[in-house]
Amino acid sequence: MGTYFNPSNEGFRKSAKDEIYIDKSGLLNILNRRLGAEKNCIAVSHARRFGKSQAARMIDAYYSKGCDSKELFSGLKISESPDFEKHLNKYNVIHLDMAAITDGHKEDFLENFKRKLYKDLSKSLKCEIDIIQDISETINDIYEETGIQFVIIIDEWDCVIRDFSDRPEIVHEYLQFLHSVFKSEESQKFLALGYITGILPVKKIKKESALNNFREYTMVDSKEFTPYFGFTEKETEELCKKYDMNFDSVKAWYNGYLISGQNMYNPNSVYQAMVDHSLESYWKNTSAFDTINTYITMDFDGLKDDVITMLNGGKVRVDVNTFKNDLSVINSKDDALTALIHLGYLGYNSERKFAYIPNYEVATAFQSALATGNWNEIAKTISRCDELLWATIDREESRVAELIELSHETYTSVLKYNDENSLSCAITMAYFTAPAYYTVIRELPSGKGFADIAFIPRADSAGKPAMIIELKWDRSADSAIKQIKENRYAGKLNGYGNEILLVGINYDKDSKKHECVIESVEGVYFTA
């Protein structure tokens, strides 16, 4: 075993023995079907923290001749396959982590890793390897001598494309290397399986064809690979039972990635939430702020409106096909939003072709990013959300009216319209942090000039009242309260036994002033 050649199974062993381990070994059944086939090159492009590296370590452990993994995989799903032992530890494996290889070796990283790889080969095979010889020729010679095919894994393959976008000669040399191990005449004989992971889909580079034989699986569509990258809803629900976490709250925080028709959860965030027994935003870091700001502050017509629509819980149509799979080449609003989809900062419905903010955790990452960017007025409004929520709970009517007025002014200014839509948007954005504690139910108005929103506290938010907010234009806050009582909303709160706050808000279009009235009733009031 070595650094790159025939690695051990220790990396996967640590994951599999973790107290929170979700068995994803079914992925190996798919890969076994691709071994030696014509379409035996696979590219998995998913956002960070979606389990790509862990999957790569599992592939090492299963195929590598450098270890004995029978006991490690016994009891996992792959062990139930009739081909389990047929492929177990039967291949020469080369595993490259390009992020680690390029770190500290910018211009000579290919030569540096080649020296280390040849050292591994010489030590393992007990023979001298000519450093001058091309890598594909060397691998082919080993195959001809041993009759054992290779599984070649490259993790973070696209970091070279991203980090050296201003050095086309280095990118070209790297792509030539990829061509030699995945698409050359020699590779047709020695390659049992090619498997690469990255953040972005394969970039189509003019006059380069190194990777056009790869089948791609992305955040937009990953087909049968979908359940192996991220936690499924069932897996997350079972973890919540085991760790005594409220599933509805975990769902609000970490669900929302609709990939190939399946609801997927960010596995890193769910893992951290279970370990810490705490719902937090695990996306909060400088990289997240910088990444989001890079794209949402671009000067493309309609981009700001679309971002606000999504922050408000809405969806926007996106053409993902114009994106060149290059973060340095963003030519349109659609390109900017598509980049955020691939990076995991937006969800995407491939059937209906719209993007959205997937969950509350990512929404808080946007909130933090706005505070560091040039969206100053919106950031100020969002920063008052917690104060507004508590002012409502404490029935501070004048302060609630004041804070909603500030929010309304902000969004009317930004969106450049002054109607019930902007007021609905302003209310939702004013209570931006409420989804941390509440299930928020928005109802579009059927009459003119109002919108209503219900806030239902989740089981782990005991002590907080439910709230129904009704808005009026040029009427009175009392009339909003009256309408709530008349409508009774039994369908939303039938059987709810705790306190409910009725919040009536009126907006005077001439004076621009808002008034608020808050009443408290027992939930039984709304029983049908």
Side-chain angles (χ1 to χ4, degrees), residues 34-181:
R34 306 292 179 87
L35 286 166
E38 182 179 0
K39 301 293 185 181
N40 65 341
C41 289
I42 294 162
V44 176
S45 304
H46 274 50
R48 288 187 176 95
R49 303 176 180 179
F50 265 76
K52 300 188 302 296
S53 294
Q54 180 171 303
R57 291 191 292 270
M58 178 181 70
I59 295 168
D60 284 348
Y62 182 68
Y63 291 118
S64 173
K65 287 179 61 64
C67 54
D68 180 353
S69 300
K70 184 174 181 178
E71 181 181 354
L72 181 57
F73 282 99
S74 64
L76 299 184
K77 292 176 183 177
I78 184 61
S79 67
E80 301 169 4
S81 168
D83 291 334
F84 169 53
E85 292 192 45
K86 177 181 178 180
H87 302 294
L88 179 65
N89 303 133
K90 296 295 197 311
Y91 295 86
N92 283 322
V93 171
I94 294 176
H95 183 154
L96 309 177
D97 179 348
M98 295 312 300
I101 287 171
T102 58
D103 188 25
H105 292 275
K106 293 304 180 185
E107 297 191 8
D108 65 339
F109 71 89
L110 279 173
E111 283 302 313
N112 179 65
F113 108 78
K114 183 179 177 181
R115 285 193 297 270
K116 290 183 177 179
L117 174 61
Y118 281 25
K119 184 178 178 180
D120 278 357
L121 293 171
S122 297
K123 183 178 179 180
S124 178
L125 301 173
K126 296 180 173 57
C127 64
E128 289 298 319
I129 304 292
D130 187 353
I131 190 68
I132 298 177
Q133 190 173 12
D134 182 76
I135 288 178
S136 64
E137 292 179 10
T138 299
I139 295 174
N140 191 58
D141 286 347
I142 295 171
Y143 166 69
E144 295 282 1
E145 182 69 25
T146 64
I148 299 171
Q149 285 189 303
F150 279 72
V151 171
I152 300 179
I153 305 160
I154 301 184
D155 203 7
E156 299 274 10
W157 83 270
D158 59 333
C159 76
V160 175
I161 309 298
R162 291 182 278 111
D163 294 348
F164 294 93
S165 59
D166 59 340
R167 298 292 301 276
E169 70 280 5
I170 292 177
V171 172
H172 174 72
E173 185 182 4
Y174 175 59
L175 291 173
Q176 289 296 102
F177 156 70
L178 296 179
H179 182 279
S180 71
V181 296

Side-chain angles (χ1 to χ4, degrees), residues 47-50 219 230-231 233 236 247-259 263-270 279-284 292 310-315 340 343-348 355-368 432-438 440 442 458:
R48 288 187 176 95
R49 303 176 180 179
F50 265 76
M219 292 292 285
F231 287 171
E233 186 150 282
T236 304
F247 175 63
D248 288 338
S249 292
V250 170
K251 187 173 184 176
W253 274 82
Y254 308 120
N255 184 29
Y257 296 96
L258 186 65
I259 307 174
N263 288 308
M264 301 301 296
Y265 290 65
N266 182 323
N268 179 75
S269 298
V270 172
L279 299 175
E280 300 177 25
S281 176
Y282 297 101
W283 283 79
K284 285 187 175 180
I292 292 172
M310 290 187 290
L311 287 170
N312 190 39
K315 304 172 179 65
L340 290 170
L343 292 166
Y345 294 109
L346 292 177
Y348 180 70
Y356 54 93
I357 292 178
N359 52 51
Y360 183 67
E361 179 189 36
V362 176
T364 62
F366 271 83
Q367 175 188 357
S368 299
F432 189 80
T433 57
Y437 318 102
Y438 289 89
V440 181
R442 301 176 181 87
R458 291 190 291 271

Side-chain angles (χ1 to χ4, degrees), residues 176-237:
Q176 289 296 102
F177 156 70
L178 296 179
H179 182 279
S180 71
V181 296
F182 292 125
K183 205 180 176 188
S184 65
E185 283 299 318
E186 294 90 347
S187 71
Q188 304 307 304
K189 294 183 290 181
F190 66 67
L191 186 66
L193 180 71
Y195 182 91
I196 64 175
T197 76
I199 298 172
L200 297 177
V202 174
K203 177 177 168 58
K204 308 303 187 292
I205 301 176
K206 190 176 181 180
K207 297 182 181 179
E208 301 279 8
S209 61
L211 300 174
N212 64 4
N213 60 324
F214 275 77
R215 294 193 66 179
E216 293 190 71
Y217 303 89
T218 73
M219 292 292 285
V220 170
D221 185 6
S222 57
K223 300 181 174 63
E224 60 184 335
F225 281 70
T226 300
Y228 302 108
F229 296 92
F231 287 171
T232 65
E233 186 150 282
K234 182 179 178 181
E235 290 165 346
T236 304
E237 188 171 10

